[in-house]
């Protein structure tokens, strides 16, 4: 059996979903030990090799641990879009902006037979079955998890997605067994980038009953959405999954070095107590 830290897939096919979203399907015996989890935001840690790496996939931790930093693999978390238990193939969706970034660049140039080493999966959210309605908010980096979450809600319940992408060309089909409403927010239209999603959330009509909410994406944007949701009493804090995947102005390594402190700072924020209207007496 493949060792858990040496899982790897071979590229079966790639598909351009939008100008900046690319799907890579992996298969092969290197995924024999892969076991999916129930979380709809499940992700795998992928290891991208630098140019001229003196090793190839699969490699052991010992083989790369003592190498100079610029020769070691670069780890990136990539959301699992789907796992097919019949074919044992793994679909990963990548946000790609040309040759910027290790993950997007690899995905753009991936060819059938190329290998990608990974570890996982892990995750932390699945739509709660006892919720009355669902709200999924995020940017392009969160679209794979949002799409998977929308597909996992109970049939017939209200589902609202607010998704931020560059322009209408970046919109992708989204589906759900629930009663789905999708609102796209386009950065090309301008406005404060930290407030685009928060403003869209604030403009929503009231959601039904107990809300299960998933808010992921850029750090300041998710913080702004969190403030709206909790201050307005739209969702209870214990029903909110809110996490920053990335932060504008930071590369992946710099963001990882400060992320834990930033998350603690956000969690400690004092927000206004929601004002709830009491039902009128007959």
């Amino acid at each position: 059996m493949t060792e858990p830290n040496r899982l790897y897939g071979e590229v079966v096919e790639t598909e351009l979903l939008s100008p900046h979203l690319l799907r890579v399907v992996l298969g092969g015996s290197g995924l024999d030990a892969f076991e999916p989890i129930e979380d709809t935001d499940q992700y795998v840690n992928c290891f991208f090799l630098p140019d001229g790496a003196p090793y190839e996939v699969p490699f052991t931790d010992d083989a790369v641990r003592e190498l100079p930093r610029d020769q070691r693999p670069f780890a990136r978390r990539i959301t699992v879009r789907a796992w097919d238990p019949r074919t044992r193939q793994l679909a990963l969706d990548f946000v790609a902006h040309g040759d910027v970034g290790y993950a997007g660049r690899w995905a753009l140039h991936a060819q059938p037979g190329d290998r990608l080493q990974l570890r996982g999966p892990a995750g932390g959210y699945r739509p709660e079955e006892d919720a009355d309605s669902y709200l999924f908010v995020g940017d392009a980096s969160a679209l794979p998890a949002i799409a998977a979450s929308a597909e996992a809600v109970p049939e017939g319940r209200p589902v609202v997605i607010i998704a931020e992408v560059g322009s209408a060309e970046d919109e992708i089909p989204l589906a759900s067994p629930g009663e789905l409403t999708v609102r796209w927010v386009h950065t090309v239209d301008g406005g404060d980038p930290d407030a685009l999603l928060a403003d869209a959330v604030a403009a929503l009509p009231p959601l039904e009953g107990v809300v299960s909410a998933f808010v992921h994406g850029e750090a300041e944007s998710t913080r702004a959405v969190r403030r709206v949701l909790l201050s307005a009493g739209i969702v209870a804090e214990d029903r909110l999954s809110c996490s920053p995947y990335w932060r504008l102005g930071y590369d992946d390594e710099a963001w990882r070095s400060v992320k834990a402190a930033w998350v603690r700072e956000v969690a400690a924020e004092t927000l206004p107590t929601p004002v709830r209207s009491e039902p009128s007496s007959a």
Side-chain angles (χ1 to χ4, degrees):
M1 178 178 289
T2 305
E3 297 175 20
N5 67 337
R6 293 182 62 191
L7 292 169
Y8 65 92
E10 296 183 0
V11 175
V12 175
E13 61 181 0
T14 64
E15 179 185 2
L16 191 64
L17 305 177
S18 77
H20 298 108
L21 192 64
L22 181 69
R23 178 166 300 162
V24 178
V25 178
L26 303 174
S29 60
L31 294 177
D32 283 351
F34 182 84
E35 293 294 340
I37 58 177
E38 292 298 316
D39 295 331
T40 52
D41 67 340
Q42 66 176 321
Y43 61 86
V44 288
N45 282 301
C46 297
F47 299 91
F48 300 95
L49 275 56
D51 294 337
Y55 53 91
E56 60 185 22
V57 175
F59 56 85
T60 64
D61 291 343
D62 289 343
V64 300
R65 184 175 292 115
E66 302 303 326
L67 292 175
R69 181 67 191 92
D70 62 357
Q71 293 183 19
R72 283 179 277 170
F74 295 89
R76 297 291 185 269
R77 288 182 175 181
I78 305 297
T79 302
V80 173
R81 178 58 184 89
W83 167 256
D84 187 330
R86 182 181 60 83
T87 62
R88 298 198 63 78
Q89 292 182 350
L90 182 68
L92 304 177
D93 287 359
F94 294 77
V95 177
H97 295 278
D99 279 339
V100 177
Y102 297 101
R105 182 173 60 199
W106 179 87
L108 280 172
H109 296 285
Q111 298 294 320
D114 288 352
R115 290 180 172 182
L116 178 63
Q117 189 148 322
L118 51 93
R119 179 178 296 146
Y125 174 80
R126 183 175 182 85
E128 296 154 308
E129 292 188 3
D130 63 342
D132 299 303
S133 57
Y134 301 87
L135 175 63
F136 306 130
V137 183
D139 58 23
S141 68
L143 271 180
I146 287 174
S149 297
E151 293 170 356
V153 305
E155 185 175 356
R157 296 185 196 172
V159 180
V160 176
I161 293 175
I162 300 179
E164 177 188 306
V165 294
S167 69
E169 292 183 341
D170 293 302
E171 297 177 10
I172 62 172
L174 296 168
S176 175
E179 297 179 0
L180 179 62
T181 300
V182 181
R183 177 175 178 189
W184 295 97
V185 178
H186 302 144
T187 58
V188 72
D189 294 336
D192 180 354
D194 293 347
L196 289 176
L197 286 173
D199 288 347
V201 170
L204 284 175
L207 298 171
E208 295 181 15
V210 174
V211 180
S212 174
F214 177 86
V215 180
H216 288 227
E218 196 280 328
E220 293 304 326
S221 180
T222 59
R223 183 189 339 220
V225 173
R226 177 181 182 274
R227 287 170 174 162
V228 170
L229 291 175
L230 297 181
S231 297
I234 297 171
V235 61
E237 189 166 6
D238 62 354
R239 296 276 187 166
L240 171 61
S241 173
C242 184
S243 180
Y245 284 156
W246 62 287
R247 187 175 183 183
L248 187 64
Y250 287 68
D251 64 22
D252 200 68
E253 281 72 27
W255 173 230
R256 279 207 302 264
S257 70
V258 300
K259 181 178 177 180
W262 187 93
V263 170
R264 289 193 297 270
E265 175 188 318
V266 171
E269 283 188 337
T270 301
L271 300 174
T273 302
V275 177
R276 301 182 183 276
S277 59
E278 296 295 331
S280 58
S281 58

